Amino acid sequence: KSDALKQQYQIFEGTSPKNIIGGRNTTDQTTTPPDGNNSRVVLNALPSSYDFPALISSLAKIMNSNGIANSSIGGSDQSDTVDSASSPSPSPVTISLSVSGSGTYGQIQSVIKDLERSVRPFDLTTLHLQGPESSMTFSANLNTYFQPAKTLKITDKAVN
């Protein structure tokens, strides 16, 4: 059975140049989504700690890779107030952001598709498009999440 599990894991990691969300399949630890090997992408789907700078970097990469001009990502870094401590029954914490920029309709559509394909959940709450198809501006509000790690209570008990 362990051989079968090992074989399935190797299939999951794959040798394809693309990972499960369409990014570059690499084990380089410095890459940001959508790049990375499949196991790393899945493990980072719902981060266990609040990391606002990493979130902003990931969104900036999505915007830049789709050729969005004048891109802007807004939000409030709550690092000082958000509790990322492990707990026995953690629940997801919402992070609200705004994004905007300009590009062609196809470029903006690609940004939205990349957000949809992202293994990290993004809920698009509002989207505003303006201008002709060849030169549009857009603004959107979205939510994403992180969930603090779960702790296990391990106790010792004497058995007589």
Side-chain angles (χ1 to χ4, degrees):
K1 291 186 180 190
S2 65
D3 288 338
L5 181 61
K6 183 178 177 182
Q7 181 182 18
Q8 289 300 314
Y9 180 77
Q10 289 170 339
I11 291 169
F12 172 71
E13 283 296 9
T15 57
S16 169
K18 299 271 185 196
N19 62 25
I20 57 176
I21 60 171
R24 191 170 47 95
N25 188 1
T26 178
T27 57
D28 182 359
Q29 295 299 311
T30 62
T31 62
T32 59
D35 296 338
N37 61 352
N38 289 335
S39 57
R40 182 171 172 218
V41 167
V42 169
L43 287 173
N44 289 332
L46 199 56
S48 61
S49 63
Y50 182 85
D51 190 352
F52 195 75
L55 174 60
I56 297 300
S57 294
S58 295
L59 285 171
K61 181 171 181 172
I62 289 171
M63 303 277 274
N64 291 338
S65 68
N66 286 298
I68 299 299
N70 305 316
S71 65
S72 173
I73 302 166
S76 178
D77 187 352
Q78 303 291 322
S79 297
D80 294 337
T81 58
V82 169
D83 185 11
S84 294
S86 302
S87 74
S89 55
S91 60
V93 177
T94 303
I95 303 169
S96 297
L97 300 160
S98 62
V99 295
S100 63
S102 58
T104 66
Y105 177 76
Q107 290 171 317
I108 295 168
Q109 190 176 33
S110 293
V111 168
I112 303 303
K113 284 182 181 178
D114 283 350
L115 291 173
E116 288 175 347
R117 283 192 306 244
S118 173
V119 69
R120 181 178 189 148
F122 285 101
D123 293 331
L124 193 63
T125 57
T126 63
L127 176 63
H128 179 75
L129 300 169
Q130 185 175 358
E133 196 172 315
S134 61
S135 179
M136 298 186 97
T137 60
F138 81 99
S139 61
N141 292 318
L142 51 97
N143 292 325
T144 189
Y145 311 88
F146 83 95
Q147 181 169 323
K150 182 175 179 107
T151 57
L152 299 175
K153 184 177 180 182
I154 300 174
T155 59
D156 293 332
K157 184 175 183 179
V159 179
N160 295 329

